[in-house]
Amino acid sequence: MTRLDKFAETAMRSLASRTSRRSLFAWLGGTLAGAGAIPVLPVARAAAADHGATVPNPQDPGDPHSCDYWRYCAIDGFLCTCCGGAVNACPPGTEMSPITWIGTCRNPADNRNYIISYNDCCGKAACERCFCANMQGEKPLARTQGNNDTVWCLGTASQSYTCSTAIVVGVATDRKQ
Amino acid sequence: MGRGSLIAGLLCALATGAPVLAADFPKPLPVESIPRVLTLPPAYPPTWAFLNSVAGIELLDVAAKSPDHIRGQLGGAPFTSLLTSTTRPEVYAAETFYSRGTRGVRTDVVTIYDTTTLAPKGEIVLSGAHRYLSAPQPNAFRLTGDESFALIFTFTPAAAVKVLDLAGRKVLGEVSIPGCALIYPTGPRGFSTLCGSGTMLTVQLDAAGRAVSQSETTAFNDLTDDPLFSAPARIGPVSYFTSYKGAVQPIDLGGAQPKLLPRWSLVTPQEATANWRPAGWQQAAGGPDGRLYVIMQPGGHDGSHKEGGPEVWVFDPATHAKVGVIKLKSPAQSIALSGGERPLLLAAGAPPNFPLGLGLSTYDPGTGAILNTQPLNFLGGTPVIFPAGR
């Protein structure tokens, strides 16, 4: 627990050191001002959320169907955005692997390094669309959690690989350049 | 045939629709027998090689002109992993099947194929069905040095190695290797594995396939800043592991314990400044000539380590001298040297982020001249070449 506490403290201090209260208000203000442009119908919002890219978010720039989208800096596989899923959701009928590997990608909009979890979607045939092979920070299998050669369909009912997602799970505080 | 008869024949053909030259072939083609299936020679020619990609395994003749270069195929299930033998007329494929296609009960099996028919002639079902599934990884499925056992890496992600008795067609047991990955045969009947702590763990097996000893080196693999590629080049008993940034770590795996030999650099300080680095998938190969062949990439950077490169550098491992440079017609991800008295350099590659268009080119390693190129219409890059000739 001591190590965990230390990690949490370091993470929060690091976040706080780079995030002023003023910038939080500026971000909140911008968000609220821009809110009028977002459809308020719950159905429309749900649809947008499901397919991620429908409503552009200036803090999450780029095309999630393209290999050069910032979150995909270390993705290896078929993009779920091209396979009936979303950048952070699996296609219908598949199962998201709870065990996976992580990369660290820099978001060009806010210049933060984010920890990205590349959860595989499993249970259908390989999607075979939008294949990407990006390797930033990728390691050999001896560094298991940093390896993307692996079929990360582990802990799922079927290990048949379908496609890959790229999910923001945190801000990296000590990325080595 | 005179001009007159040709014109007459043409007129006749136009009038009746009958074949023009039928009269010149008084006998019809002979009736052909059905069914007919080709077989292969017991010893493959030196220019034959298996190519293992994500999509499957093909046997091809690198000297033949496309599209007449395919000699057969193995398996067909995704993520099949190949293992060839030098002492038995067999080839092994680790395969994974689901009872309902992509779902249902998973069965992992090592299928034993006959080399002359490419037909299955036996199988070993892997209990637990946990074999490691990945881009083709030759070090996930290996023979022991004496070829008595096959070793297969399993991953849940808890790591282990299953020991298979090939002659008896059965699983003998499983050795847990927590925190370590892949298999490097060590001595006649043992294996080593690379661990997350940067060490190499070595396990020796008895005649029954049980682990009888275990030892671990000190840490030598800097997985954070300059990791060793998982696929070494083998020359005799020594495996040459190249690093992302251009070092080479030779390890003698001929005895019961690995011997870490002195590390050296593939690049001069000037080449290091230009970021010439090893790159690719099967990025290094050992030649029958005792030379070390490495795919090299200029301007290497974080994330470029699997893209392959435009040149193959040739080294004398005894002197560490660069003795040759082969400029490839197109970048390669994987290389191997064929068998035979005049080995050929085989180089396979695909443009990054473009899985179709995989090609295999053949070069004369002495002159660097390209001899042949074959398109390989497989899905996926990261091919592994297994020279199959004897």
XYZ file of all heavy atoms in Angstrom, chain A residues 67-68 73 75-76 78 99 122-126 128 131-144 147-155 157-161 175-177, chain B residues 79 98 102-104 106 129 132-135 137 153 155-157 179 181-182 194-196 221 223-225 227-230 244 281 302-306 352-355 379-381:
684
model
N -4.364 5.244 -39.167
C -3.250 4.746 -38.351
C -2.498 5.860 -37.638
O -1.828 5.609 -36.644
C -2.264 3.949 -39.218
S -2.939 2.417 -39.882
N -2.584 7.104 -38.157
C -1.802 8.164 -37.522
C -2.572 8.926 -36.443
O -2.075 9.926 -35.917
C -1.217 9.122 -38.565
C -2.286 9.754 -39.434
O -3.479 9.607 -39.103
O -1.938 10.395 -40.439
N -0.398 5.181 -31.384
C 1.061 5.243 -31.551
C 1.715 3.878 -31.393
O 2.851 3.687 -31.800
C 1.670 6.257 -30.586
S 1.795 5.707 -28.879
N -0.381 0.785 -31.727
C -1.417 -0.233 -31.992
C -0.925 -1.182 -33.069
O -0.203 -0.798 -33.980
C -2.754 0.434 -32.404
C -3.929 -0.524 -32.144
C -2.730 0.902 -33.861
C -5.282 0.164 -32.140
N -1.272 -2.425 -32.936
C -0.882 -3.446 -33.919
C -2.088 -4.334 -34.166
O -2.396 -5.206 -33.365
C 0.294 -4.264 -33.365
C 0.830 -5.248 -34.390
O 0.302 -5.296 -35.514
O 1.762 -5.981 -34.056
N -6.187 -4.595 -36.359
C -7.273 -3.973 -37.113
C -7.999 -2.983 -36.200
O -8.305 -3.302 -35.052
C -8.239 -5.038 -37.621
C -7.558 -6.126 -38.400
C -7.496 -7.424 -37.908
C -6.943 -5.856 -39.610
C -6.842 -8.426 -38.618
C -6.294 -6.847 -40.320
C -6.247 -8.137 -39.821
N -7.664 -8.434 -20.103
C -6.209 -8.456 -19.905
C -5.580 -7.931 -21.179
O -5.918 -8.375 -22.275
C -5.714 -9.893 -19.626
C -6.436 -10.469 -18.417
C -4.203 -9.918 -19.446
C -6.193 -11.941 -18.211
N -12.733 -9.812 -29.161
C -12.510 -11.226 -29.430
C -13.827 -11.959 -29.676
O -14.865 -11.579 -29.120
C -11.814 -11.870 -28.239
S -10.465 -10.862 -27.572
N -13.769 -12.991 -30.480
C -14.923 -13.878 -30.631
C -15.493 -13.945 -32.028
O -16.276 -14.844 -32.334
N -15.129 -12.991 -32.890
C -15.507 -13.080 -34.310
C -14.237 -13.311 -35.121
O -13.139 -13.320 -34.579
C -16.178 -11.784 -34.773
C -17.398 -11.357 -33.977
C -18.593 -12.230 -34.271
C -19.857 -11.655 -33.603
N -20.987 -12.600 -33.664
N -14.402 -13.436 -36.420
C -13.232 -13.580 -37.283
C -12.436 -12.279 -37.307
O -12.951 -11.228 -36.941
C -13.668 -13.953 -38.694
N -11.187 -12.355 -37.740
C -10.377 -11.151 -37.884
C -11.083 -10.183 -38.820
O -11.543 -10.568 -39.899
C -9.000 -11.510 -38.434
N -9.951 -7.611 -40.562
C -9.197 -7.437 -41.803
C -9.456 -6.110 -42.493
O -9.375 -5.995 -43.714
C -9.423 -8.623 -42.756
C -8.943 -9.930 -42.143
C -9.005 -11.115 -43.068
O -9.306 -10.912 -44.255
O -8.752 -12.231 -42.596
N -5.760 -2.068 -41.114
C -4.638 -2.663 -40.394
C -3.592 -1.591 -40.098
O -3.219 -0.826 -40.987
C -4.008 -3.790 -41.214
C -2.777 -4.360 -40.564
C -2.892 -5.231 -39.494
C -1.514 -4.009 -41.004
C -1.772 -5.753 -38.882
C -0.378 -4.531 -40.397
C -0.513 -5.403 -39.329
N -3.158 -1.542 -38.853
C -2.100 -0.608 -38.469
C -1.032 -1.360 -37.681
O -1.331 -2.292 -36.947
C -2.647 0.516 -37.586
S -3.915 1.508 -38.396
N 0.206 -0.945 -37.859
C 1.322 -1.560 -37.127
C 2.227 -0.439 -36.643
O 3.244 -0.155 -37.256
C 2.069 -2.543 -38.022
N 1.839 0.199 -35.557
C 2.656 1.262 -34.963
C 3.331 0.723 -33.701
O 2.759 -0.094 -32.993
C 1.790 2.473 -34.653
C 1.261 3.111 -35.927
O 1.868 2.988 -36.993
N 0.122 3.766 -35.830
N 4.538 1.173 -33.449
C 5.375 0.467 -32.475
C 6.011 1.377 -31.433
O 6.953 0.961 -30.771
C 6.503 -0.262 -33.224
C 6.036 -1.250 -34.252
S 5.216 -2.651 -33.478
C 4.281 -3.268 -34.876
N 5.534 2.589 -31.247
C 6.220 3.508 -30.335
C 6.276 2.929 -28.921
O 5.248 2.605 -28.332
C 5.473 4.837 -30.326
C 6.304 5.986 -29.815
C 5.559 7.295 -29.984
O 5.087 7.624 -31.075
N 5.415 8.032 -28.912
N 7.474 2.770 -28.408
C 7.648 2.237 -27.057
C 7.408 0.747 -26.930
O 7.425 0.210 -25.821
N 7.216 0.084 -28.037
C 6.888 -1.346 -27.994
C 8.120 -2.160 -27.607
O 9.242 -1.848 -27.994
C 6.367 -1.781 -29.363
C 5.589 -3.067 -29.353
C 6.406 -4.303 -29.642
O 7.586 -4.190 -30.054
O 5.879 -5.411 -29.461
N 7.916 -3.211 -26.817
C 9.019 -4.001 -26.282
C 8.876 -5.481 -26.650
O 7.773 -5.945 -26.942
C 9.038 -3.892 -24.750
C 9.114 -2.481 -24.211
C 10.428 -1.798 -24.551
C 10.486 -0.403 -23.942
N 11.533 0.419 -24.540
N 9.988 -6.205 -26.574
C 9.890 -7.653 -26.787
C 9.035 -8.307 -25.693
O 8.810 -7.723 -24.637
C 11.350 -8.123 -26.682
C 12.180 -6.898 -26.840
C 11.355 -5.759 -26.329
N 8.622 -9.525 -25.947
C 7.680 -10.203 -25.049
C 8.230 -10.382 -23.635
O 7.449 -10.520 -22.686
C 7.276 -11.562 -25.636
C 6.160 -12.284 -24.892
C 4.876 -11.471 -24.880
C 5.914 -13.658 -25.481
N 9.548 -10.371 -23.466
C 10.090 -10.468 -22.107
C 9.559 -9.332 -21.236
O 9.390 -9.492 -20.034
C 11.618 -10.453 -22.147
N 9.286 -8.171 -21.814
C 8.577 -7.085 -21.131
C 7.116 -7.210 -21.558
O 6.620 -6.468 -22.400
C 9.186 -5.728 -21.519
C 8.486 -4.503 -20.960
C 8.571 -4.319 -19.470
N 9.928 -4.275 -18.934
C 10.729 -3.183 -18.959
N 10.300 -2.079 -19.497
N 11.933 -3.227 -18.430
N 6.448 -8.170 -20.914
C 5.146 -8.636 -21.405
C 4.142 -7.522 -21.633
O 3.494 -7.458 -22.677
C 4.570 -9.663 -20.414
O 5.549 -10.684 -20.209
C 3.300 -10.284 -20.950
N 4.246 -5.457 -25.005
C 4.402 -6.186 -26.272
C 3.103 -6.227 -27.050
O 2.045 -6.572 -26.502
C 4.879 -7.613 -25.984
C 5.045 -8.417 -27.267
O 4.136 -9.132 -27.680
N 6.182 -8.268 -27.915
N 3.179 -5.890 -28.326
C 1.946 -5.904 -29.130
C 1.923 -6.990 -30.209
O 1.036 -6.979 -31.058
C 1.680 -4.515 -29.740
C 2.665 -4.148 -30.833
O 3.485 -4.956 -31.238
N 2.573 -2.929 -31.334
N 2.860 -7.944 -30.170
C 2.800 -9.080 -31.104
C 1.750 -10.094 -30.656
O 1.308 -10.938 -31.432
C 4.143 -9.818 -31.157
C 5.290 -8.891 -31.449
O 5.124 -8.018 -32.297
O 6.350 -9.052 -30.806
N 1.413 -9.989 -29.396
C 0.589 -10.998 -28.731
C -0.888 -10.836 -29.080
O -1.371 -9.708 -29.196
C 0.786 -10.847 -27.206
O 2.175 -10.977 -26.926
C -0.004 -11.861 -26.421
N -1.596 -11.947 -29.231
C -3.053 -11.906 -29.287
C -3.520 -11.743 -27.843
O -3.426 -12.665 -27.037
C -3.628 -13.202 -29.898
C -5.147 -13.198 -29.800
C -3.188 -13.350 -31.344
N -3.986 -10.547 -27.538
C -4.354 -10.260 -26.148
C -5.809 -10.624 -25.864
O -6.465 -9.954 -25.077
C -4.069 -8.797 -25.817
C -2.616 -8.539 -25.545
C -1.709 -8.010 -26.406
C -1.884 -8.819 -24.350
N -0.465 -7.953 -25.816
C -0.548 -8.433 -24.553
C -2.234 -9.376 -23.108
C 0.438 -8.580 -23.580
C -1.252 -9.510 -22.141
C 0.066 -9.119 -22.381
N -6.299 -11.654 -26.508
C -7.621 -12.183 -26.167
C -7.404 -13.189 -25.039
O -7.336 -14.401 -25.258
C -8.280 -12.839 -27.375
S -8.832 -11.657 -28.613
N -7.244 -12.670 -23.851
C -6.987 -13.517 -22.687
C -8.087 -13.232 -21.669
O -8.463 -12.079 -21.470
C -5.617 -13.213 -22.090
C -4.436 -13.445 -23.042
C -3.158 -12.869 -22.461
C -4.269 -14.933 -23.314
N -8.603 -14.262 -21.054
C -9.707 -14.083 -20.107
C -11.031 -13.882 -20.801
O -12.001 -13.443 -20.184
N -14.111 -15.614 -23.498
C -14.650 -16.943 -23.817
C -13.967 -17.512 -25.065
O -13.674 -18.690 -25.140
C -16.158 -16.858 -24.020
N -13.721 -16.661 -26.043
C -13.043 -17.086 -27.265
C -11.785 -16.248 -27.435
O -11.770 -15.060 -27.111
C -13.958 -16.880 -28.480
O -13.190 -16.974 -29.673
N -10.751 -16.866 -27.920
C -9.499 -16.140 -28.170
C -9.354 -15.783 -29.653
O -8.267 -15.455 -30.123
C -8.301 -16.960 -27.699
C -8.150 -16.994 -26.197
C -9.099 -17.993 -25.552
O -9.125 -19.157 -25.912
N -9.908 -17.516 -24.615
N -10.451 -15.860 -30.407
C -10.422 -15.499 -31.819
C -10.333 -13.972 -31.942
O -11.263 -13.244 -31.577
C -11.674 -16.026 -32.512
O -11.676 -15.629 -33.861
N -9.211 -13.479 -32.462
C -8.963 -12.035 -32.514
C -9.799 -11.363 -33.605
O -9.810 -11.813 -34.754
C -7.476 -11.770 -32.768
C -7.177 -10.327 -33.099
C -7.208 -9.363 -32.112
C -6.887 -9.937 -34.401
C -6.958 -8.026 -32.409
C -6.627 -8.608 -34.714
C -6.672 -7.660 -33.711
O -6.433 -6.344 -34.013
N 7.030 9.711 -18.554
C 7.409 9.179 -19.856
C 8.830 9.584 -20.205
O 9.196 10.748 -20.145
C 6.451 9.685 -20.931
C 6.965 9.562 -22.337
C 6.205 8.518 -23.107
N 6.690 8.417 -24.467
C 6.853 7.280 -25.069
N 6.613 6.160 -24.443
N 7.259 7.218 -26.318
N 9.643 8.602 -20.566
C 11.007 8.873 -20.989
C 10.992 9.216 -22.471
O 10.410 8.482 -23.265
C 11.858 7.621 -20.764
C 13.140 7.926 -20.060
C 13.846 6.644 -19.730
C 15.204 6.957 -19.169
N 15.887 5.792 -18.705
N 11.615 10.303 -22.856
C 11.589 10.692 -24.278
C 12.735 10.066 -25.026
O 13.785 9.858 -24.471
C 11.647 12.197 -24.387
C 10.406 12.873 -23.812
C 9.107 12.422 -24.428
O 8.993 12.302 -25.638
N 8.117 12.126 -23.606
N -2.953 -17.975 -36.837
C -1.894 -18.028 -35.819
C -1.278 -19.415 -35.680
O -0.914 -19.844 -34.595
C -2.409 -17.503 -34.464
C -2.964 -16.118 -34.541
C -4.328 -15.893 -34.443
C -2.133 -15.044 -34.768
C -4.855 -14.615 -34.541
C -2.641 -13.756 -34.863
C -4.011 -13.546 -34.753
N -11.486 -23.788 -32.861
C -12.650 -23.613 -31.994
C -13.769 -24.493 -32.558
O -13.928 -24.604 -33.781
C -13.096 -22.147 -31.956
C -11.987 -21.230 -31.477
C -11.094 -20.656 -32.382
C -11.803 -20.981 -30.118
C -10.053 -19.856 -31.949
C -10.762 -20.175 -29.673
C -9.892 -19.616 -30.601
O -8.854 -18.833 -30.171
N -15.216 -19.575 -34.775
C -14.509 -18.572 -33.983
C -14.930 -18.618 -32.521
O -14.537 -17.750 -31.744
C -14.781 -17.155 -34.527
O -16.192 -16.920 -34.475
C -14.272 -17.002 -35.945
N -15.734 -19.561 -32.143
C -16.184 -19.674 -30.744
C -16.370 -21.139 -30.392
O -16.151 -22.014 -31.233
C -17.481 -18.885 -30.545
C -18.604 -19.366 -31.438
C -19.809 -18.407 -31.415
N -20.763 -18.798 -32.453
C -21.711 -19.723 -32.286
N -21.862 -20.334 -31.122
N -22.512 -20.050 -33.283
N -16.782 -21.379 -29.167
C -16.943 -22.754 -28.719
C -15.688 -23.255 -28.024
O -14.848 -22.474 -27.599
N -12.134 -24.457 -27.346
C -10.840 -24.288 -28.006
C -10.018 -25.568 -27.857
O -9.934 -26.140 -26.774
C -10.090 -23.107 -27.368
C -8.660 -22.970 -27.849
C -7.989 -21.732 -27.286
N -6.538 -21.780 -27.468
C -5.695 -20.812 -27.128
N -6.163 -19.698 -26.601
N -4.400 -20.952 -27.312
N -5.111 -25.942 -23.554
C -5.324 -25.054 -24.708
C -4.872 -23.631 -24.425
O -5.627 -22.677 -24.590
C -6.797 -25.098 -25.139
N 0.682 -19.970 -26.756
C 0.818 -18.533 -27.004
C 0.414 -18.222 -28.438
O 0.955 -18.809 -29.387
C 2.273 -18.142 -26.754
C 2.631 -16.725 -27.103
C 2.018 -15.656 -26.463
C 3.611 -16.454 -28.049
C 2.373 -14.343 -26.768
C 3.970 -15.150 -28.353
C 3.337 -14.109 -27.709
O 3.690 -12.821 -28.021
N -0.547 -17.305 -28.605
C -0.993 -16.891 -29.937
C -0.409 -15.511 -30.235
O -0.544 -14.592 -29.429
C -2.516 -16.827 -29.999
C -3.271 -18.117 -29.677
C -4.781 -17.875 -29.741
C -2.886 -19.231 -30.636
N 0.202 -15.383 -31.387
C 0.859 -14.113 -31.704
C 1.183 -14.070 -33.187
O 0.960 -15.032 -33.920
C 2.164 -13.979 -30.919
O 3.125 -14.877 -31.426
N 1.758 -12.952 -33.603
C 2.411 -12.911 -34.903
C 3.435 -14.050 -34.919
O 3.960 -14.417 -33.863
C 3.105 -11.568 -35.075
N 5.997 -16.518 -34.342
C 7.098 -16.369 -33.387
C 7.835 -17.708 -33.300
O 7.398 -18.625 -32.596
C 6.513 -15.961 -32.033
C 7.504 -15.841 -30.907
C 8.739 -15.057 -31.235
O 9.759 -15.626 -31.609
N 8.642 -13.743 -31.142
N 5.580 -22.788 -25.979
C 5.358 -21.726 -24.992
C 3.864 -21.525 -24.795
O 3.103 -21.434 -25.767
C 6.021 -20.445 -25.497
C 5.888 -19.259 -24.588
C 6.362 -19.294 -23.297
C 5.308 -18.093 -25.047
C 6.252 -18.194 -22.452
C 5.192 -16.983 -24.224
C 5.672 -17.038 -22.924
N 0.758 -19.280 -22.511
C 0.648 -17.908 -21.999
C -0.803 -17.610 -21.677
O -1.678 -17.718 -22.550
C 1.150 -16.977 -23.108
C 1.211 -15.522 -22.762
C 2.217 -15.016 -21.958
C 0.269 -14.635 -23.269
C 2.295 -13.663 -21.662
C 0.339 -13.277 -22.984
C 1.357 -12.798 -22.174
N -1.063 -17.237 -20.387
C -2.480 -17.008 -20.020
C -2.853 -15.632 -19.451
O -4.050 -15.434 -19.240
C -2.892 -18.055 -18.970
O -2.151 -17.854 -17.785
C -2.788 -19.463 -19.485
N -1.986 -14.744 -19.024
C -0.573 -14.533 -19.307
C 0.433 -15.191 -18.359
O 1.613 -14.822 -18.411
C -0.448 -13.010 -19.246
C -1.454 -12.603 -18.239
C -2.593 -13.552 -18.374
N 7.166 -14.831 -15.407
C 7.849 -13.583 -15.759
C 8.818 -13.708 -16.911
O 9.540 -12.761 -17.215
N 9.751 -15.350 -21.066
C 9.067 -15.514 -22.344
C 9.929 -16.235 -23.368
O 11.139 -15.986 -23.459
C 8.660 -14.157 -22.903
N 9.291 -17.082 -24.121
C 9.852 -17.746 -25.298
C 10.928 -18.785 -24.932
O 11.260 -18.959 -23.752
C 10.342 -16.714 -26.315
C 9.231 -15.724 -26.737
C 9.783 -14.639 -27.632
C 8.074 -16.470 -27.415
N 13.958 -15.753 -21.876
C 14.320 -14.377 -21.511
C 13.287 -13.820 -20.528
O 12.079 -13.925 -20.775
C 14.387 -13.496 -22.758
C 15.555 -13.797 -23.714
C 15.396 -13.031 -25.024
C 16.895 -13.467 -23.060
N 13.775 -13.240 -19.459
C 12.881 -12.834 -18.378
C 12.746 -11.315 -18.292
O 13.623 -10.567 -18.721
C 13.398 -13.390 -17.051
S 13.562 -15.191 -17.101
N 11.639 -10.892 -17.679
C 11.340 -9.477 -17.556
C 12.341 -8.717 -16.715
O 12.432 -7.490 -16.805
N 19.920 -7.864 -20.211
C 19.014 -7.400 -21.261
C 18.293 -6.142 -20.771
O 17.408 -6.237 -19.917
C 18.024 -8.532 -21.587
C 17.132 -8.222 -22.772
O 17.296 -7.210 -23.447
N 16.181 -9.104 -23.029
N 15.709 -4.020 -20.999
C 14.414 -4.008 -21.689
C 13.814 -2.615 -21.794
O 12.918 -2.384 -22.604
C 13.442 -4.949 -20.973
C 13.750 -6.428 -21.210
C 13.098 -7.307 -20.154
C 13.290 -6.841 -22.597
N 14.297 -1.683 -20.982
C 13.740 -0.334 -21.029
C 14.381 0.508 -22.130
O 13.684 1.116 -22.937
C 13.926 0.369 -19.666
O 13.251 -0.415 -18.678
C 13.357 1.774 -19.690
N 15.709 0.501 -22.199
C 16.375 1.439 -23.104
C 16.942 0.821 -24.374
O 17.073 1.505 -25.390
C 17.508 2.163 -22.358
C 16.966 3.197 -21.397
O 15.898 3.767 -21.688
O 17.589 3.401 -20.346
N 16.427 -2.990 -25.632
C 16.145 -4.421 -25.488
C 16.713 -5.255 -26.632
O 16.931 -4.755 -27.737
C 14.617 -4.484 -25.487
C 14.148 -3.200 -26.050
C 15.229 -2.182 -25.862
N 16.928 -6.529 -26.331
C 17.327 -7.477 -27.367
C 16.087 -7.947 -28.106
O 15.047 -8.219 -27.492
C 18.031 -8.682 -26.731
C 19.284 -8.379 -25.922
C 19.806 -9.661 -25.260
C 20.374 -7.768 -26.807
N 16.184 -8.046 -29.434
C 15.111 -8.646 -30.222
C 14.894 -10.092 -29.750
O 15.839 -10.754 -29.296
C 15.479 -8.665 -31.701
C 15.330 -7.339 -32.401
C 16.388 -6.457 -32.499
C 14.117 -6.984 -32.975
C 16.254 -5.242 -33.146
C 13.972 -5.765 -33.630
C 15.039 -4.893 -33.712
N 13.681 -10.576 -29.914
C 13.360 -11.936 -29.452
C 13.928 -13.016 -30.351
O 14.071 -14.162 -29.922
C 11.841 -12.115 -29.360
O 11.291 -11.264 -28.404
N 17.887 -3.283 -30.113
C 17.189 -2.245 -30.870
C 18.169 -1.187 -31.390
O 17.983 -0.640 -32.466
C 16.150 -1.546 -29.981
C 14.832 -2.279 -29.788
C 14.727 -3.646 -29.954
C 13.680 -1.581 -29.420
C 13.506 -4.302 -29.751
C 12.468 -2.216 -29.222
C 12.387 -3.573 -29.381
O 11.182 -4.216 -29.189
N 11.645 -8.275 -38.255
C 10.973 -9.290 -37.440
C 11.934 -10.465 -37.223
O 12.387 -10.722 -36.133
C 9.691 -9.721 -38.142
C 8.892 -10.732 -37.396
C 8.559 -11.994 -37.785
C 8.272 -10.551 -36.106
N 7.803 -12.613 -36.825
C 7.607 -11.749 -35.788
C 8.236 -9.494 -35.186
C 6.904 -11.935 -34.597
C 7.533 -9.678 -33.998
C 6.879 -10.879 -33.724
N 12.496 5.463 -31.966
C 11.545 4.719 -31.151
C 10.330 4.356 -31.999
O 9.671 5.237 -32.550
C 11.119 5.585 -29.954
C 10.075 4.891 -29.090
O 9.949 3.651 -29.170
O 9.376 5.591 -28.332
N 10.047 3.080 -32.111
C 8.892 2.627 -32.873
C 9.213 2.120 -34.264
O 8.338 1.582 -34.939
N 10.472 2.245 -34.716
C 10.795 1.803 -36.084
C 11.417 0.406 -36.104
O 11.788 -0.089 -37.156
C 11.767 2.794 -36.744
O 13.045 2.730 -36.149
N 11.480 -0.244 -34.956
C 12.268 -1.479 -34.851
C 11.700 -2.667 -35.614
O 12.416 -3.627 -35.854
C 12.482 -1.845 -33.380
C 11.213 -1.993 -32.596
N 10.493 -0.910 -32.150
C 10.543 -3.078 -32.180
C 9.423 -1.342 -31.492
N 9.425 -2.639 -31.503
N 10.417 -2.635 -35.986
C 9.880 -3.773 -36.743
C 9.649 -3.435 -38.217
O 9.137 -4.260 -38.970
C 8.558 -4.227 -36.121
C 8.751 -5.107 -34.894
C 7.436 -5.710 -34.454
C 7.254 -5.529 -32.971
N 5.853 -5.673 -32.547
N 5.134 -0.880 -44.301
C 4.426 -0.721 -43.037
C 2.984 -0.301 -43.262
O 2.673 0.428 -44.193
C 5.218 0.375 -42.314
C 6.137 0.961 -43.304
C 6.274 0.000 -44.436
N 2.125 -0.768 -42.388
C 0.693 -0.442 -42.435
C 0.034 -0.830 -43.755
O -0.956 -0.255 -44.159
C 0.454 1.039 -42.152
C 0.788 1.373 -40.719
O 0.687 0.508 -39.846
N 1.207 2.592 -40.476
N 0.621 -1.784 -44.418
C 0.016 -2.238 -45.675
C 0.242 -3.737 -45.787
O 1.238 -4.182 -46.341
C 0.645 -1.517 -46.865
C -0.065 -1.790 -48.160
C -1.316 -1.252 -48.392
C 0.497 -2.601 -49.129
C -1.980 -1.501 -49.574
C -0.162 -2.852 -50.322
C -1.406 -2.300 -50.534
N -0.662 -4.519 -45.217
C -0.394 -5.941 -45.068
C -0.368 -6.706 -46.380
O 0.270 -7.745 -46.470
C -1.536 -6.430 -44.189
C -2.626 -5.431 -44.387
C -1.952 -4.130 -44.656
N -2.011 -12.312 -45.941
C -2.395 -11.216 -45.074
C -1.340 -11.080 -43.987
O -0.911 -12.043 -43.402
C -3.748 -11.525 -44.442
C -4.213 -10.550 -43.385
C -4.614 -9.246 -44.016
C -5.353 -11.139 -42.612
N -0.932 -9.880 -43.745
C -0.066 -9.639 -42.599
C 1.400 -9.657 -42.928
O 1.865 -10.396 -43.792
N 2.130 -8.841 -42.225
C 3.582 -8.845 -42.346
C 4.156 -9.854 -41.376
O 3.612 -10.938 -41.220
